Amino acid sequence: MKNKTLKIRAFHINEIELGQNFNLTTDCLSISDQISFDSEIFDNVFIQIIKPHQHDIETNTIMDIIPISTKVLGHIGEGLTHTLTGVFVLLTGRIKNGEQLHEFGSSEGILSQQLKLNKPGTPGENDLLIHIDCMMQENLVLDRVTCNEAFQLADQYIQKIREKMKLLEASSATETHLYEHKTQPDKPNVILVKQLPAQGAMYDAMLFSDEPSGFSGGQSIIDLHSMPVYLTVNEYRDGAIRALS
């Protein structure tokens, strides 16, 4: 890839409102408290907002912390990306019979004791959380397919936010970063080797989803048999890898 540039515009969110529709203004995000789901798979799905410093609540096992970004122009690794700061999606889940989704980590319990803030890949102490809690039907077995249903549902919900983000004006961005893909023949090549989780049938990662850090359209590292994959720096930077954990 030569002469490709990636521009990332960040928009900081200070407030989230829970209502009936999705809307996005300069620093306020409105989200729906309703989510459509397949009743043969999900018994119920709950949406709530967790505000900063209000983490002393009980949650089901933490399946993922998901940043909210979208492609406005181009594909992953080039073009224009809009991303929200100050807010993440927290995905949790269990089966109706009480069995927790995701067998690794056993991260159910009091959120403040299970979630380490201000770490790479985790929210900051002042960030808002959109909590999506999935309760799966009792007749389902705890396997990769069941967990992927929850990831897919969360991605569909987030996509409604992404569609609003695509319409944001450049003038309202709080940060803008431009990353040029350069090759310098007289400089040494630098390679980052990143080992992705792909253990058994429960520890997965998606590559090159339709949206940055998305799920839909992605390729499972398990289905790739954990074979090496070449990524450019900008593809990595733009969310080409989505670890499902």
Side-chain angles (χ1 to χ4, degrees):
M1 178 183 292
K2 293 183 178 180
N3 302 321
K4 295 286 188 180
T5 59
L6 170 65
K7 179 181 287 187
I8 298 178
R9 292 181 185 144
F11 302 83
H12 193 73
I13 297 299
N14 291 311
E15 183 179 0
I16 300 180
E17 297 175 345
L18 195 61
Q20 296 182 337
N21 300 303
F22 292 86
N23 195 25
L24 182 57
T25 58
T26 302
D27 65 347
C28 180
L29 173 64
S30 300
I31 58 173
S32 174
D33 59 0
Q34 302 295 316
I35 185 169
S36 299
F37 55 83
D38 185 343
S39 60
E40 294 185 358
I41 298 172
F42 297 91
D43 179 79
N44 211 338
V45 180
F46 305 94
I47 307 291
Q48 69 170 333
I49 298 168
I50 301 175
K51 295 184 177 180
H53 312 293
Q54 296 184 5
H55 300 131
D56 291 329
I57 59 173
E58 190 167 353
T59 68
N60 291 309
T61 193
I62 299 172
M63 300 179 68
D64 208 354
I65 299 290
I66 309 167
I68 307 173
S69 301
T70 188
K71 291 307 299 184
V72 180
L73 294 171
H75 302 285
I76 299 288
E78 51 95 14
L80 175 62
T81 295
H82 283 180
T83 190
L84 297 184
T85 56
V87 56
F88 288 83
V89 172
L90 167 67
L91 177 63
T92 63
R94 70 176 174 92
I95 294 178
K96 189 177 180 181
N97 62 13
E99 188 175 12
Q100 297 289 320
L101 294 180
H102 272 195
E103 61 184 2
F104 49 90
S106 296
S107 55
E108 71 275 15
I110 303 301
L111 183 61
S112 60
Q113 300 174 7
Q114 301 294 336
L115 178 62
K116 300 297 183 185
L117 301 172
N118 305 315
K119 303 292 183 183
T122 73
E125 59 183 350
N126 295 316
D127 287 335
L128 297 152
L129 297 176
I130 300 172
H131 182 199
I132 302 176
D133 188 35
C134 298
M135 183 185 294
M136 318 298 284
Q137 288 289 1
E138 196 164 8
N139 60 340
L140 295 179
V141 296
L142 178 56
D143 61 9
R144 178 186 174 199
V145 174
T146 299
C147 292
N148 282 349
E149 291 288 352
F151 286 120
Q152 182 69 62
L153 185 73
D155 197 59
Q156 292 171 352
Y157 183 85
I158 296 170
Q159 189 63 32
K160 295 180 180 180
I161 301 174
R162 296 185 183 118
E163 295 303 324
K164 299 296 181 183
M165 293 167 58
K166 295 178 190 291
L167 304 177
L168 290 170
E169 297 288 343
S171 58
S172 61
T174 48
E175 299 174 48
T176 300
H177 303 274
L178 185 64
Y179 303 99
E180 297 183 14
H181 182 91
K182 296 180 179 179
T183 57
Q184 303 182 63
D186 56 335
K187 300 291 184 181
N189 293 317
V190 179
I191 298 175
L192 169 67
V193 178
K194 184 176 180 62
Q195 184 175 10
L196 298 180
Q199 186 175 21
M202 298 292 294
Y203 213 24
D204 203 356
M206 303 298 284
L207 297 168
F208 288 105
S209 302
D210 294 336
E211 297 280 10
S213 303
F215 184 87
S216 299
Q219 181 69 56
S220 163
I221 194 70
I222 291 177
D223 295 337
L224 291 173
H225 306 290
S226 299
M227 291 294 292
V229 176
Y230 171 79
L231 299 177
T232 68
V233 173
N234 276 349
E235 288 169 340
Y236 179 74
R237 179 182 282 129
D238 201 24
I241 300 174
R242 161 79 183 282
L244 301 179
S245 59

